Amino acid sequence: MSKQSTADTPSVAPVDLTRRPSIEELRAVIHPEGMLQRRSAEHWAGRLYMRKISLRITRVLSTVTFITPNGLTYLMMLTGILAGAALVIPGLAGAVLGALLIQVYLLLDCVDGEVARWRRQTSLTGVYLDRVGHYMSEAALLTGLGLRATDLFHQEGTAAWQWAFLGTLAALGAILIKSETDLVDVARARSGMTAVEDSASVPRSAGVAKARRVASLLKFHRLVGAVEASLFILAAGIADAVHGGLYFTRLAVVVLAAIAVLQTVLHLLSIVLSSRLR
């Protein structure tokens, strides 16, 4: 999600935390003009529905001073990890619980930054925790999918650990994709350069740029994201509940692992062949 998240010590004079703001007052601060329209920074689920929900949750929390933005970010991390653990539960219940927990994770991902912006408590610590939370949650979800396909409770016989390996491979790919993006800023900062401009992400090679546009249109790479992956896993769980067995869950593991590996390579190439490292 697009946000500057969290620190417990405000950097400027705090707002009045004894008075609950109106929706209009809150929106003007936490959803500044243009924020929700930045497709590269705001998740589609945030634009579609979650920011509308989070706005009202943030309004309630605006006067609850013992709940800090950092605390909300830690809760986001925990919820994301629990979503992965929930997938181990056999049957449709595990897939449904995992998808619901990811929605809570997404809500907290919105709320922690909104509370930080309203209280003027944004910080580097919060940005760091937010990124770590995304890494951990997406890795936990894909690892949990692999364990789900492994059949730990022996519903179809002995546990098949090759599925756990594929789920872990998908999780590693999801982490690498995010780290490839984040490490651009690290490399530029260590070289004394400013943050990268959006225009620099366009590959210098015409062929690579075309391939990037095609991939962007298909949006297959989004399937390894927490929200999309949880819905994909839920669809597989529903199909398994109708069909019986774990065929569709295991198919989902193969698809997500393949996308994660392919996207890791393509994303790395798109960065190296762009102007982001120059």
Side-chain angles (χ1 to χ4, degrees), residues 31-45:
H31 295 169
E33 185 177 356
M35 187 189 85
L36 300 185
Q37 286 69 46
R38 290 180 295 169
R39 295 183 179 273
S40 62
E42 182 67 24
H43 194 277
W44 61 265

Side-chain angles (χ1 to χ4, degrees), residues 116-137:
R117 284 193 293 275
W118 174 251
R119 296 183 186 176
R120 301 171 187 167
Q121 293 176 336
T122 59
S123 75
L124 290 177
T125 301
V127 174
Y128 176 80
L129 290 175
D130 183 68
R131 297 303 297 170
V132 170
H134 292 170
Y135 278 49
M136 293 174 62
S137 300

Side-chain angles (χ1 to χ4, degrees), residues 23-263:
I23 290 292
E24 291 71 23
E25 288 177 308
L26 195 61
R27 183 183 287 115
V29 174
I30 68 174
H31 295 169
E33 185 177 356
M35 187 189 85
L36 300 185
Q37 286 69 46
R38 290 180 295 169
R39 295 183 179 273
S40 62
E42 182 67 24
H43 194 277
W44 61 265
R47 294 193 304 272
L48 186 62
Y49 62 90
M50 194 56 79
R51 287 293 183 183
K52 299 179 178 66
I53 300 171
S54 67
L55 179 67
R56 283 151 180 81
I57 300 297
T58 299
R59 181 171 182 262
V60 172
L61 295 178
S62 64
T63 56
V64 183
T65 56
F66 67 88
I67 297 179
T68 66
N70 274 354
L72 291 167
T73 304
Y74 284 122
L75 186 58
M76 178 198 79
M77 291 183 194
L78 177 61
T79 304
I81 293 170
L82 289 176
L87 294 179
V88 178
I89 300 172
L92 185 57
V96 170
L97 182 57
L100 288 175
L101 284 170
I102 287 297
Q103 290 299 309
V104 177
Y105 155 86
L106 178 63
L107 175 62
L108 291 168
D109 191 26
C110 292
V111 170
D112 65 351
E114 291 175 352
V115 170
R117 284 193 293 275
W118 174 251
R119 296 183 186 176
R120 301 171 187 167
Q121 293 176 336
T122 59
S123 75
L124 290 177
T125 301
V127 174
Y128 176 80
L129 290 175
D130 183 68
R131 297 303 297 170
V132 170
H134 292 170
Y135 278 49
M136 293 174 62
S137 300
E138 293 188 6
L141 188 72
L142 294 170
T143 302
L145 171 61
L147 292 173
R148 177 179 177 82
T150 299
D151 190 20
L152 294 177
F153 294 95
H154 308 295
Q155 291 184 304
E156 296 191 350
T158 58
W161 289 100
Q162 66 269 26
W163 300 106
F165 169 77
L166 282 178
T168 303
L169 184 64
L172 177 60
I175 290 174
L176 286 173
I177 292 165
K178 288 187 175 298
S179 65
E180 286 169 356
T181 299
D182 291 343
L183 287 173
V184 170
D185 290 335
V186 173
R188 291 177 66 90
R190 289 188 176 181
S191 299
M193 301 172 68
T194 59
V196 67
E197 299 290 337
D198 289 341
S199 58
S201 66
V202 179
R204 298 188 306 276
S205 167
V208 174
K210 183 177 181 181
R212 186 175 184 271
R213 286 195 298 270
V214 171
S216 180
L217 288 173
L218 294 175
K219 300 190 185 303
F220 71 92
H221 58 285
R222 287 191 174 182
L223 274 180
V224 294
V227 175
E228 292 83 354
S230 69
L231 296 176
F232 190 57
I233 294 166
L234 176 59
I238 293 171
D240 280 339
V242 174
H243 181 268
L246 289 168
Y247 173 81
F248 290 99
T249 291
R250 288 172 173 173
L251 179 61
V253 176
V254 172
V255 170
L256 293 179
I259 289 174
V261 171
L262 179 61
Q263 181 63 13

